[in-house]
Amino acid sequence: MGEPYPGRWLVTGGRGFLGAAVVACARASGVTDIVAPGRDEADLTRQVEAEALLARTRPETVVHLAARVGGIEANRRNPGLFFYANATMGIHVVEACRQQGVRKLVVVGTTCAYPRLTPLPFREDDLWNGYPEATNAPYGVAKRALLTMVRAYREQYGLDGIYLLPANLYGPRDNFDLESGHVIPGLIRRFMEARDAAQPAVRLWGTGQPTREFLYVGDCADAVVRAARLYSGADPVNIGTGREIRIADLAALIAGLVGYGGELRWDPARPDGQPRRRLDVTRASHLFGFSATTPLEAGLRETIAWYAAARKAGPPEQQARGA
Ligand code: GDP
């Protein structure tokens, strides 16, 4: 994958779900000097703390992954917090990168930034053609604004910032909290608990009809590290598999892998969120040779094995990543 990118990397959110995977991937590819502070070391919603972190660590490359995120219910409960925290953290980090003359900045957005009814597959050029799905709009718009900021800073200050849009992530170390987490860890946990308690049925959110595109966290980390090294440009880039699956089919697949044979009951009183998501992934392939390599079923097996081991090791609450 080319020569190791020189100099120190700062990975904000570097102890989180994606952050830890990016740190591991960067190390494996030859980056030796990595700083990965947690929220306890620098509250990036405070400008002085963001600036102090950059001034203290003086990185050449910054990967901004610190975020307040969660599943559909966490977004519904925290629209204000998710807008404020994600907008301010991003704004402060980008500005601090400018002040310190950072050589490379990677900002990670989200498919939640796309308009609710984007034509399939989602192309990067369609990003601004409508308002996002209501359930995740505050989060999506806060992240989308950072694309405008990064492009403006490239134009005015020559800051080499790039912007990536990953699909829904999943994998080991995800947030397995039932209320705040995303669908894959939620289903794994629900089915394991139902299997162990011999429950005849499990209640799932929504109608099961929406589709999502899921990206294994290790594949996303690979894309981030490649892009940091090989891509320099103003255009945002989707990161995904290009494949979608209906939530009902995903649930049946996970139930099978977990070994739960009971009935799946859908609860339409819970929101479905965006009707469909599938990304056009050609740009990432052309620009920095990225294509996802982990098939969904293999990634789910890894995730299930990790969670089964974590459950044995301690109460589930201790396994949840901090959102
Ligand atoms: P989203 O992609 O931002 O909508 O986030 P989620 O991963 O939370 O939800 C994806 C889809 O899975 C939505 O249609 C949810 O209604 C559905 N879903 C079904 N059961 C669950 C569950 O137990 N937890 C979560 N988070 N979503 C679920």
Side-chain angles (χ1 to χ4, degrees):
M1 194 205 284
E3 291 305 304
Y5 200 86
R8 170 174 291 172
W9 283 38
L10 169 66
V11 182
T12 70
R15 297 196 208 138
F17 176 48
L18 176 57
V22 166
V23 168
C25 190
R27 281 224 171 86
S29 70
V31 182
T32 51
D33 187 1
I34 306 177
V35 183
R39 209 188 310 165
D40 50 332
E41 283 170 67
D43 176 357
L44 300 174
T45 65
R46 293 171 47 84
Q47 186 172 11
V48 284
E49 294 198 26
E51 290 179 357
L53 175 66
L54 270 285
R56 190 168 70 238
T57 55
R58 300 197 69 91
E60 288 199 5
T61 296
V62 172
V63 182
H64 176 49
L65 301 176
R68 294 300 290 249
V69 299
I72 196 162
E73 182 62 21
N75 274 276
R76 199 187 61 75
R77 289 187 192 182
N78 300 287
L81 173 66
F82 281 12
F83 186 90
Y84 176 79
N86 291 302
T88 54
M89 286 194 284
I91 287 168
H92 297 155
V93 167
V94 175
E95 166 60 10
C97 287
R98 180 194 69 79
Q99 290 173 9
Q100 292 299 325
V102 161
R103 277 180 51 179
K104 183 68 155 205
L105 166 64
V106 183
V107 172
V108 173
T110 167
T111 47
C112 295
Y114 273 98
R116 172 177 159 82
L117 296 176
T118 306
L120 296 175
F122 292 11
R123 292 195 176 81
E124 291 90 343
D125 292 343
D126 286 330
L127 194 55
W128 298 96
N129 292 342
Y131 195 69
E133 154 67 28
T135 46
N136 55 242
Y139 172 62
V141 171
K143 287 281 197 173
R144 201 201 243 191
L146 298 177
L147 169 59
T148 300
M149 182 174 186
V150 164
R151 296 180 86 154
Y153 270 51
R154 172 179 291 278
E155 195 182 312
Q156 183 171 356
Y157 307 117
L159 175 63
D160 185 6
I162 61 170
Y163 190 92
L164 308 177
L165 290 151
N168 283 38
L169 300 180
Y170 74 101
R173 301 186 73 252
D174 203 344
N175 175 12
F176 280 79
D177 180 77
L178 289 176
E179 287 300 313
S180 65
H182 283 95
V183 60
I184 288 181
L187 296 187
I188 291 172
R189 182 168 169 184
R190 277 181 216 288
F191 292 145
M192 275 192 190
E193 291 178 356
R195 178 198 64 195
D196 296 350
Q199 280 171 20
V202 167
R203 212 167 170 75
L204 304 173
W205 299 356
T207 62
Q209 294 311 307
T211 70
R212 291 291 180 271
E213 173 170 333
F214 294 102
L215 177 65
Y216 189 66
V217 66
D219 284 348
C220 186
D222 175 33
V224 169
V225 172
R226 267 174 195 273
R229 286 188 169 161
L230 302 174
Y231 176 52
S232 173
D235 291 335
V237 187
N238 288 336
I239 305 295
T241 63
R243 289 160 192 263
E244 66 186 321
I245 181 170
R246 269 193 334 142
I247 296 298
D249 295 332
L250 174 77
L253 176 60
I254 294 177
L257 293 173
V258 166
Y260 177 68
E263 189 193 337
L264 311 187
R265 288 195 193 136
W266 296 94
D267 178 3
R270 294 277 198 158
D272 269 340
Q274 196 159 12
R276 289 180 74 177
R277 283 189 197 152
R278 175 162 56 89
L279 298 177
D280 180 333
V281 293
T282 49
R283 197 179 269 181
S285 165
H286 288 151
L287 290 175
F288 44 90
F290 171 75
S291 57
T293 56
T294 309
L296 181 60
E297 187 169 325
L300 289 174
R301 285 183 195 279
E302 293 282 332
T303 311
I304 290 166
W306 181 87
Y307 184 60
R311 266 177 107 212
K312 272 197 196 135
E317 286 67 27
Q318 289 176 12
Q319 315 304 333
R321 78 183 140 105

